[in-house]
PDB file of all heavy atoms in Angstrom:
ATOM      1  N   THR A 247       9.077  13.664  -0.902  1.00 98.00           N
ATOM      2  CA  THR A 247      10.417  13.910  -1.441  1.00 98.00           C
ATOM      3  C   THR A 247      10.509  13.245  -2.843  1.00 98.00           C
ATOM      4  O   THR A 247      11.123  13.835  -3.749  1.00 98.00           O
ATOM      5  CB  THR A 247      11.476  13.364  -0.510  1.00 98.00           C
ATOM      6  OG1 THR A 247      11.401  14.045   0.727  1.00 98.00           O
ATOM      7  CG2 THR A 247      12.920  13.603  -1.120  1.00 98.00           C
ATOM      8  N   THR A 248      10.002  12.024  -2.924  1.00 98.00           N
ATOM      9  CA  THR A 248      10.044  11.326  -4.223  1.00 98.00           C
ATOM     10  C   THR A 248       8.604  11.270  -4.759  1.00 98.00           C
ATOM     11  O   THR A 248       7.719  10.791  -4.118  1.00 98.00           O
ATOM     12  CB  THR A 248      10.546   9.892  -4.047  1.00 98.00           C
ATOM     13  OG1 THR A 248      11.872   9.881  -3.477  1.00 98.00           O
ATOM     14  CG2 THR A 248      10.519   9.135  -5.327  1.00 98.00           C
ATOM     15  N   PRO A 249       8.441  11.765  -5.956  1.00 98.00           N
ATOM     16  CA  PRO A 249       7.109  11.652  -6.613  1.00 98.00           C
ATOM     17  C   PRO A 249       6.768  10.187  -6.921  1.00 98.00           C
ATOM     18  O   PRO A 249       7.653   9.411  -7.298  1.00 98.00           O
ATOM     19  CB  PRO A 249       7.242  12.437  -7.925  1.00 98.00           C
ATOM     20  CG  PRO A 249       8.513  13.150  -7.847  1.00 98.00           C
ATOM     21  CD  PRO A 249       9.396  12.411  -6.863  1.00 98.00           C
ATOM     22  N   ILE A 250       5.551   9.767  -6.682  1.00 98.00           N
ATOM     23  CA  ILE A 250       5.150   8.405  -6.982  1.00 98.00           C
ATOM     24  C   ILE A 250       5.316   8.008  -8.406  1.00 98.00           C
ATOM     25  O   ILE A 250       5.468   6.844  -8.722  1.00 98.00           O
ATOM     26  CB  ILE A 250       3.679   8.159  -6.404  1.00 98.00           C
ATOM     27  CG1 ILE A 250       3.318   6.666  -6.497  1.00 98.00           C
ATOM     28  CG2 ILE A 250       2.737   9.007  -7.264  1.00 98.00           C
ATOM     29  CD1 ILE A 250       4.147   5.785  -5.615  1.00 98.00           C
ATOM     30  N   SER A 251       5.235   8.993  -9.317  1.00 98.00           N
ATOM     31  CA  SER A 251       5.451   8.686 -10.744  1.00 98.00           C
ATOM     32  C   SER A 251       6.789   8.085 -11.025  1.00 98.00           C
ATOM     33  O   SER A 251       6.949   7.414 -12.067  1.00 98.00           O
ATOM     34  CB  SER A 251       5.221   9.944 -11.585  1.00 98.00           C
ATOM     35  OG  SER A 251       6.199  10.972 -11.257  1.00 98.00           O
ATOM     36  N   THR A 252       7.759   8.337 -10.138  1.00 98.00           N
ATOM     37  CA  THR A 252       9.144   7.743 -10.324  1.00 98.00           C
ATOM     38  C   THR A 252       9.009   6.253 -10.570  1.00 98.00           C
ATOM     39  O   THR A 252       9.815   5.649 -11.279  1.00 98.00           O
ATOM     40  CB  THR A 252       9.974   8.031  -9.078  1.00 98.00           C
ATOM     41  OG1 THR A 252       9.989   9.482  -8.852  1.00 98.00           O
ATOM     42  CG2 THR A 252      11.363   7.491  -9.226  1.00 98.00           C
ATOM     43  N   TYR A 253       8.056   5.621  -9.862  1.00 98.00           N
ATOM     44  CA  TYR A 253       7.872   4.168  -9.947  1.00 98.00           C
ATOM     45  C   TYR A 253       6.654   3.787 -10.802  1.00 98.00           C
ATOM     46  O   TYR A 253       6.701   2.904 -11.653  1.00 98.00           O
ATOM     47  CB  TYR A 253       7.759   3.534  -8.602  1.00 98.00           C
ATOM     48  CG  TYR A 253       8.910   3.907  -7.695  1.00 98.00           C
ATOM     49  CD1 TYR A 253       8.850   4.862  -6.707  1.00 98.00           C
ATOM     50  CD2 TYR A 253      10.112   3.244  -7.837  1.00 98.00           C
ATOM     51  CE1 TYR A 253       9.847   5.219  -5.891  1.00 98.00           C
ATOM     52  CE2 TYR A 253      11.207   3.547  -7.012  1.00 98.00           C
ATOM     53  CZ  TYR A 253      11.098   4.518  -6.089  1.00 98.00           C
ATOM     54  OH  TYR A 253      12.135   4.832  -5.253  1.00 98.00           O
ATOM     55  N   MET A 254       5.528   4.548 -10.606  1.00 98.00           N
ATOM     56  CA  MET A 254       4.254   4.062 -11.150  1.00 98.00           C
ATOM     57  C   MET A 254       4.105   4.307 -12.658  1.00 98.00           C
ATOM     58  O   MET A 254       3.179   3.747 -13.232  1.00 98.00           O
ATOM     59  CB  MET A 254       3.096   4.642 -10.395  1.00 98.00           C
ATOM     60  CG  MET A 254       2.801   3.904  -9.075  1.00 98.00           C
ATOM     61  SD  MET A 254       2.703   2.088  -9.227  1.00 98.00           S
ATOM     62  CE  MET A 254       1.399   1.951 -10.483  1.00 98.00           C
ATOM     63  N   GLU A 255       4.952   5.174 -13.253  1.00 98.00           N
ATOM     64  CA  GLU A 255       4.829   5.329 -14.713  1.00 98.00           C
ATOM     65  C   GLU A 255       5.116   4.029 -15.397  1.00 98.00           C
ATOM     66  O   GLU A 255       4.474   3.647 -16.387  1.00 98.00           O
ATOM     67  CB  GLU A 255       5.728   6.441 -15.231  1.00 98.00           C
ATOM     68  CG  GLU A 255       5.480   6.719 -16.736  1.00 98.00           C
ATOM     69  CD  GLU A 255       6.230   7.923 -17.204  1.00 98.00           C
ATOM     70  OE1 GLU A 255       6.599   8.833 -16.416  1.00 98.00           O
ATOM     71  OE2 GLU A 255       6.447   8.016 -18.443  1.00 98.00           O
ATOM     72  N   ASP A 256       6.068   3.194 -14.874  1.00 98.00           N
ATOM     73  CA  ASP A 256       6.331   1.943 -15.418  1.00 98.00           C
ATOM     74  C   ASP A 256       5.156   0.977 -15.269  1.00 98.00           C
ATOM     75  O   ASP A 256       4.897   0.184 -16.171  1.00 98.00           O
ATOM     76  CB  ASP A 256       7.553   1.337 -14.703  1.00 98.00           C
ATOM     77  CG  ASP A 256       8.872   1.996 -15.082  1.00 98.00           C
ATOM     78  OD1 ASP A 256       8.920   2.673 -16.101  1.00 98.00           O
ATOM     79  OD2 ASP A 256       9.868   1.745 -14.365  1.00 98.00           O
ATOM     80  N   GLY A 257       4.462   1.103 -14.145  1.00 98.00           N
ATOM     81  CA  GLY A 257       3.294   0.278 -13.903  1.00 98.00           C
ATOM     82  C   GLY A 257       2.161   0.570 -14.904  1.00 98.00           C
ATOM     83  O   GLY A 257       1.579  -0.323 -15.483  1.00 98.00           O
ATOM     84  N   PHE A 258       1.872   1.829 -15.107  1.00 98.00           N
ATOM     85  CA  PHE A 258       0.833   2.190 -16.021  1.00 98.00           C
ATOM     86  C   PHE A 258       1.258   1.911 -17.479  1.00 98.00           C
ATOM     87  O   PHE A 258       0.473   1.602 -18.316  1.00 98.00           O
ATOM     88  CB  PHE A 258       0.478   3.676 -15.915  1.00 98.00           C
ATOM     89  CG  PHE A 258      -0.075   4.009 -14.506  1.00 98.00           C
ATOM     90  CD1 PHE A 258       0.365   5.146 -13.840  1.00 98.00           C
ATOM     91  CD2 PHE A 258      -1.046   3.240 -13.950  1.00 98.00           C
ATOM     92  CE1 PHE A 258      -0.134   5.460 -12.569  1.00 98.00           C
ATOM     93  CE2 PHE A 258      -1.538   3.543 -12.663  1.00 98.00           C
ATOM     94  CZ  PHE A 258      -1.115   4.670 -11.997  1.00 98.00           C
ATOM     95  N   SER A 259       2.568   2.007 -17.723  1.00 98.00           N
ATOM     96  CA  SER A 259       3.049   1.661 -19.081  1.00 98.00           C
ATOM     97  C   SER A 259       2.837   0.165 -19.406  1.00 98.00           C
ATOM     98  O   SER A 259       2.595  -0.132 -20.551  1.00 98.00           O
ATOM     99  CB  SER A 259       4.512   1.934 -19.191  1.00 98.00           C
ATOM    100  OG  SER A 259       4.768   3.374 -19.104  1.00 98.00           O
ATOM    101  N   LEU A 260       2.866  -0.690 -18.400  1.00 98.00           N
ATOM    102  CA  LEU A 260       2.603  -2.104 -18.636  1.00 98.00           C
ATOM    103  C   LEU A 260       1.178  -2.243 -19.126  1.00 98.00           C
ATOM    104  O   LEU A 260       0.928  -3.059 -20.086  1.00 98.00           O
ATOM    105  CB  LEU A 260       2.852  -2.927 -17.375  1.00 98.00           C
ATOM    106  CG  LEU A 260       2.567  -4.396 -17.490  1.00 98.00           C
ATOM    107  CD1 LEU A 260       3.686  -5.122 -18.245  1.00 98.00           C
ATOM    108  CD2 LEU A 260       2.357  -5.070 -16.127  1.00 98.00           C
ATOM    109  N   ILE A 261       0.240  -1.643 -18.469  1.00 98.00           N
ATOM    110  CA  ILE A 261      -1.217  -1.718 -18.942  1.00 98.00           C
ATOM    111  C   ILE A 261      -1.312  -1.173 -20.313  1.00 98.00           C
ATOM    112  O   ILE A 261      -2.003  -1.789 -21.209  1.00 98.00           O
ATOM    113  CB  ILE A 261      -2.076  -0.972 -17.966  1.00 98.00           C
ATOM    114  CG1 ILE A 261      -1.973  -1.530 -16.496  1.00 98.00           C
ATOM    115  CG2 ILE A 261      -3.538  -1.044 -18.419  1.00 98.00           C
ATOM    116  CD1 ILE A 261      -2.358  -2.982 -16.317  1.00 98.00           C
ATOM    117  N   GLU A 262      -0.665  -0.048 -20.602  1.00 98.00           N
ATOM    118  CA  GLU A 262      -0.752   0.573 -21.893  1.00 98.00           C
ATOM    119  C   GLU A 262      -0.200  -0.374 -22.991  1.00 98.00           C
ATOM    120  O   GLU A 262      -0.772  -0.502 -24.024  1.00 98.00           O
ATOM    121  CB  GLU A 262       0.082   1.854 -21.851  1.00 98.00           C
ATOM    122  CG  GLU A 262      -0.138   2.779 -23.053  1.00 98.00           C
ATOM    123  CD  GLU A 262       0.608   4.111 -22.814  1.00 98.00           C
ATOM    124  OE1 GLU A 262       1.780   4.100 -22.427  1.00 98.00           O
ATOM    125  OE2 GLU A 262      -0.007   5.180 -23.032  1.00 98.00           O
ATOM    126  N   GLU A 263       0.899  -1.068 -22.623  1.00 98.00           N
ATOM    127  CA  GLU A 263       1.509  -1.979 -23.621  1.00 98.00           C
ATOM    128  C   GLU A 263       0.661  -3.216 -23.857  1.00 98.00           C
ATOM    129  O   GLU A 263       0.527  -3.645 -24.996  1.00 98.00           O
ATOM    130  CB  GLU A 263       2.938  -2.409 -23.114  1.00 98.00           C
ATOM    131  CG  GLU A 263       3.690  -3.265 -24.036  1.00 98.00           C
ATOM    132  CD  GLU A 263       4.160  -2.554 -25.382  1.00 98.00           C
ATOM    133  OE1 GLU A 263       4.036  -1.292 -25.410  1.00 98.00           O
ATOM    134  OE2 GLU A 263       4.648  -3.246 -26.209  1.00 98.00           O
ATOM    135  N   MET A 264       0.012  -3.720 -22.834  1.00 98.00           N
ATOM    136  CA  MET A 264      -0.828  -4.923 -23.028  1.00 98.00           C
ATOM    137  C   MET A 264      -2.017  -4.571 -23.914  1.00 98.00           C
ATOM    138  O   MET A 264      -2.408  -5.434 -24.734  1.00 98.00           O
ATOM    139  CB  MET A 264      -1.328  -5.372 -21.644  1.00 98.00           C
ATOM    140  CG  MET A 264      -0.247  -5.958 -20.763  1.00 98.00           C
ATOM    141  SD  MET A 264      -0.830  -6.740 -19.283  1.00 98.00           S
ATOM    142  CE  MET A 264      -1.680  -8.214 -19.918  1.00 98.00           C
ATOM    143  N   ILE A 265      -2.511  -3.345 -23.745  1.00 98.00           N
ATOM    144  CA  ILE A 265      -3.667  -2.973 -24.644  1.00 98.00           C
ATOM    145  C   ILE A 265      -3.164  -2.779 -26.032  1.00 98.00           C
ATOM    146  O   ILE A 265      -3.774  -3.209 -27.020  1.00 98.00           O
ATOM    147  CB  ILE A 265      -4.301  -1.661 -24.059  1.00 98.00           C
ATOM    148  CG1 ILE A 265      -4.916  -1.900 -22.748  1.00 98.00           C
ATOM    149  CG2 ILE A 265      -5.308  -1.058 -25.128  1.00 98.00           C
ATOM    150  CD1 ILE A 265      -5.376  -0.617 -21.993  1.00 98.00           C
ATOM    151  N   ALA A 266      -2.038  -2.079 -26.215  1.00 98.00           N
ATOM    152  CA  ALA A 266      -1.544  -1.759 -27.529  1.00 98.00           C
ATOM    153  C   ALA A 266      -1.160  -3.038 -28.321  1.00 98.00           C
ATOM    154  O   ALA A 266      -1.415  -3.119 -29.535  1.00 98.00           O
ATOM    155  CB  ALA A 266      -0.265  -0.914 -27.444  1.00 98.00           C
ATOM    156  N   GLN A 267      -0.717  -4.074 -27.603  1.00 98.00           N
ATOM    157  CA  GLN A 267      -0.335  -5.325 -28.272  1.00 98.00           C
ATOM    158  C   GLN A 267      -1.496  -6.310 -28.526  1.00 98.00           C
ATOM    159  O   GLN A 267      -1.363  -7.364 -29.059  1.00 98.00           O
ATOM    160  CB  GLN A 267       0.745  -5.995 -27.472  1.00 98.00           C
ATOM    161  CG  GLN A 267       2.086  -5.262 -27.430  1.00 98.00           C
ATOM    162  CD  GLN A 267       2.703  -5.043 -28.755  1.00 98.00           C
ATOM    163  OE1 GLN A 267       2.579  -5.845 -29.657  1.00 98.00           O
ATOM    164  NE2 GLN A 267       3.340  -3.880 -28.945  1.00 98.00           N
ATOM    165  N   GLY A 268      -2.692  -5.888 -27.952  1.00 98.00           N
ATOM    166  CA  GLY A 268      -3.849  -6.781 -28.093  1.00 98.00           C
ATOM    167  C   GLY A 268      -3.814  -7.920 -27.106  1.00 98.00           C
ATOM    168  O   GLY A 268      -4.478  -8.975 -27.396  1.00 98.00           O
ATOM    169  N   TYR A 269      -3.125  -7.782 -26.006  1.00 98.00           N
ATOM    170  CA  TYR A 269      -3.055  -8.815 -25.007  1.00 98.00           C
ATOM    171  C   TYR A 269      -4.205  -8.756 -24.027  1.00 98.00           C
ATOM    172  O   TYR A 269      -4.326  -9.623 -23.142  1.00 98.00           O
ATOM    173  CB  TYR A 269      -1.696  -8.804 -24.250  1.00 98.00           C
ATOM    174  CG  TYR A 269      -0.513  -9.007 -25.225  1.00 98.00           C
ATOM    175  CD1 TYR A 269       0.745  -8.561 -24.815  1.00 98.00           C
ATOM    176  CD2 TYR A 269      -0.685  -9.657 -26.404  1.00 98.00           C
ATOM    177  CE1 TYR A 269       1.858  -8.787 -25.639  1.00 98.00           C
ATOM    178  CE2 TYR A 269       0.466  -9.863 -27.257  1.00 98.00           C
ATOM    179  CZ  TYR A 269       1.689  -9.393 -26.880  1.00 98.00           C
ATOM    180  OH  TYR A 269       2.801  -9.561 -27.729  1.00 98.00           O
ATOM    181  N   MET A 270      -4.964  -7.746 -24.069  1.00 98.00           N
ATOM    182  CA  MET A 270      -6.200  -7.616 -23.307  1.00 98.00           C
ATOM    183  C   MET A 270      -7.190  -6.741 -24.061  1.00 98.00           C
ATOM    184  O   MET A 270      -6.773  -5.890 -24.871  1.00 98.00           O
ATOM    185  CB  MET A 270      -5.932  -7.058 -21.886  1.00 98.00           C
ATOM    186  CG  MET A 270      -5.326  -5.696 -21.853  1.00 98.00           C
ATOM    187  SD  MET A 270      -5.094  -4.992 -20.217  1.00 98.00           S
ATOM    188  CE  MET A 270      -6.795  -4.453 -19.874  1.00 98.00           C
ATOM    189  N   ASP A 271      -8.442  -6.937 -23.753  1.00 97.00           N
ATOM    190  CA  ASP A 271      -9.527  -6.155 -24.465  1.00 97.00           C
ATOM    191  C   ASP A 271      -9.973  -5.084 -23.506  1.00 97.00           C
ATOM    192  O   ASP A 271     -10.626  -5.363 -22.470  1.00 97.00           O
ATOM    193  CB  ASP A 271     -10.672  -7.103 -24.798  1.00 97.00           C
ATOM    194  CG  ASP A 271     -11.814  -6.375 -25.479  1.00 97.00           C
ATOM    195  OD1 ASP A 271     -11.819  -5.123 -25.500  1.00 97.00           O
ATOM    196  OD2 ASP A 271     -12.765  -7.029 -25.944  1.00 97.00           O
ATOM    197  N   PRO A 272      -9.621  -3.800 -23.756  1.00 97.00           N
ATOM    198  CA  PRO A 272      -9.965  -2.733 -22.811  1.00 97.00           C
ATOM    199  C   PRO A 272     -11.486  -2.575 -22.611  1.00 97.00           C
ATOM    200  O   PRO A 272     -11.944  -2.281 -21.494  1.00 97.00           O
ATOM    201  CB  PRO A 272      -9.370  -1.451 -23.425  1.00 97.00           C
ATOM    202  CG  PRO A 272      -9.193  -1.835 -24.881  1.00 97.00           C
ATOM    203  CD  PRO A 272      -8.908  -3.277 -24.933  1.00 97.00           C
ATOM    204  N   GLU A 273     -12.241  -2.773 -23.644  1.00 97.00           N
ATOM    205  CA  GLU A 273     -13.709  -2.631 -23.544  1.00 97.00           C
ATOM    206  C   GLU A 273     -14.292  -3.708 -22.621  1.00 97.00           C
ATOM    207  O   GLU A 273     -15.111  -3.446 -21.778  1.00 97.00           O
ATOM    208  CB  GLU A 273     -14.354  -2.730 -24.913  1.00 97.00           C
ATOM    209  CG  GLU A 273     -15.833  -2.344 -24.963  1.00 97.00           C
ATOM    210  CD  GLU A 273     -16.101  -0.873 -24.616  1.00 97.00           C
ATOM    211  OE1 GLU A 273     -15.147  -0.088 -24.817  1.00 97.00           O
ATOM    212  OE2 GLU A 273     -17.200  -0.551 -24.148  1.00 97.00           O
ATOM    213  N   GLN A 274     -13.772  -4.912 -22.783  1.00 96.00           N
ATOM    214  CA  GLN A 274     -14.210  -6.035 -21.875  1.00 96.00           C
ATOM    215  C   GLN A 274     -13.849  -5.737 -20.457  1.00 96.00           C
ATOM    216  O   GLN A 274     -14.645  -5.951 -19.578  1.00 96.00           O
ATOM    217  CB  GLN A 274     -13.606  -7.351 -22.389  1.00 96.00           C
ATOM    218  CG  GLN A 274     -13.856  -8.565 -21.481  1.00 96.00           C
ATOM    219  CD  GLN A 274     -12.772  -8.793 -20.471  1.00 96.00           C
ATOM    220  OE1 GLN A 274     -11.590  -8.518 -20.741  1.00 96.00           O
ATOM    221  NE2 GLN A 274     -13.152  -9.284 -19.314  1.00 96.00           N
ATOM    222  N   ALA A 275     -12.628  -5.235 -20.269  1.00 97.00           N
ATOM    223  CA  ALA A 275     -12.145  -4.949 -18.829  1.00 97.00           C
ATOM    224  C   ALA A 275     -12.991  -3.880 -18.255  1.00 97.00           C
ATOM    225  O   ALA A 275     -13.405  -3.999 -17.041  1.00 97.00           O
ATOM    226  CB  ALA A 275     -10.738  -4.546 -18.940  1.00 97.00           C
ATOM    227  N   ILE A 276     -13.282  -2.819 -18.946  1.00 97.00           N
ATOM    228  CA  ILE A 276     -14.070  -1.703 -18.397  1.00 97.00           C
ATOM    229  C   ILE A 276     -15.410  -2.142 -17.918  1.00 97.00           C
ATOM    230  O   ILE A 276     -15.930  -1.605 -16.984  1.00 97.00           O
ATOM    231  CB  ILE A 276     -14.157  -0.558 -19.473  1.00 97.00           C
ATOM    232  CG1 ILE A 276     -12.820   0.105 -19.703  1.00 97.00           C
ATOM    233  CG2 ILE A 276     -15.205   0.465 -19.093  1.00 97.00           C
ATOM    234  CD1 ILE A 276     -12.750   0.992 -20.904  1.00 97.00           C
ATOM    235  N   ASN A 277     -15.998  -3.115 -18.624  1.00 95.00           N
ATOM    236  CA  ASN A 277     -17.339  -3.521 -18.308  1.00 95.00           C
ATOM    237  C   ASN A 277     -17.468  -4.790 -17.465  1.00 95.00           C
ATOM    238  O   ASN A 277     -18.547  -5.393 -17.366  1.00 95.00           O
ATOM    239  CB  ASN A 277     -18.126  -3.745 -19.645  1.00 95.00           C
ATOM    240  CG  ASN A 277     -18.363  -2.441 -20.401  1.00 95.00           C
ATOM    241  OD1 ASN A 277     -19.056  -1.537 -19.926  1.00 95.00           O
ATOM    242  ND2 ASN A 277     -17.769  -2.294 -21.514  1.00 95.00           N
ATOM    243  N   THR A 278     -16.319  -5.220 -16.857  1.00 96.00           N
ATOM    244  CA  THR A 278     -16.342  -6.444 -16.052  1.00 96.00           C
ATOM    245  C   THR A 278     -15.977  -6.185 -14.621  1.00 96.00           C
ATOM    246  O   THR A 278     -14.910  -5.663 -14.309  1.00 96.00           O
ATOM    247  CB  THR A 278     -15.331  -7.455 -16.652  1.00 96.00           C
ATOM    248  OG1 THR A 278     -15.681  -7.760 -18.002  1.00 96.00           O
ATOM    249  CG2 THR A 278     -15.330  -8.744 -15.858  1.00 96.00           C
ATOM    250  N   LEU A 279     -16.864  -6.507 -13.730  1.00 94.00           N
ATOM    251  CA  LEU A 279     -16.600  -6.364 -12.285  1.00 94.00           C
ATOM    252  C   LEU A 279     -15.875  -7.633 -11.720  1.00 94.00           C
ATOM    253  O   LEU A 279     -16.084  -8.714 -12.262  1.00 94.00           O
ATOM    254  CB  LEU A 279     -17.903  -6.244 -11.516  1.00 94.00           C
ATOM    255  CG  LEU A 279     -18.627  -4.869 -11.531  1.00 94.00           C
ATOM    256  CD1 LEU A 279     -20.000  -4.969 -10.905  1.00 94.00           C
ATOM    257  CD2 LEU A 279     -17.796  -3.804 -10.831  1.00 94.00           C
ATOM    258  N   PRO A 280     -15.014  -7.426 -10.713  1.00 93.00           N
ATOM    259  CA  PRO A 280     -14.371  -8.573 -10.113  1.00 93.00           C
ATOM    260  C   PRO A 280     -15.374  -9.552  -9.491  1.00 93.00           C
ATOM    261  O   PRO A 280     -16.432  -9.094  -8.977  1.00 93.00           O
ATOM    262  CB  PRO A 280     -13.509  -7.986  -9.004  1.00 93.00           C
ATOM    263  CG  PRO A 280     -13.374  -6.518  -9.394  1.00 93.00           C
ATOM    264  CD  PRO A 280     -14.635  -6.166 -10.115  1.00 93.00           C
TER     265      PRO A 280
END
Side-chain angles (χ1 to χ4, degrees):
T247 300
T248 301
I250 186 63
S251 62
T252 303
Y253 305 102
M254 280 311 304
E255 186 171 340
D256 287 344
F258 297 134
S259 292
L260 178 76
I261 302 299
E262 193 173 49
E263 183 69 9
M264 291 186 71
I265 294 170
Q267 295 299 327
Y269 299 157
M270 59 176 283
D271 179 350
E273 190 66 25
Q274 175 266 328
I276 290 168
N277 292 295
T278 302
L279 283 172

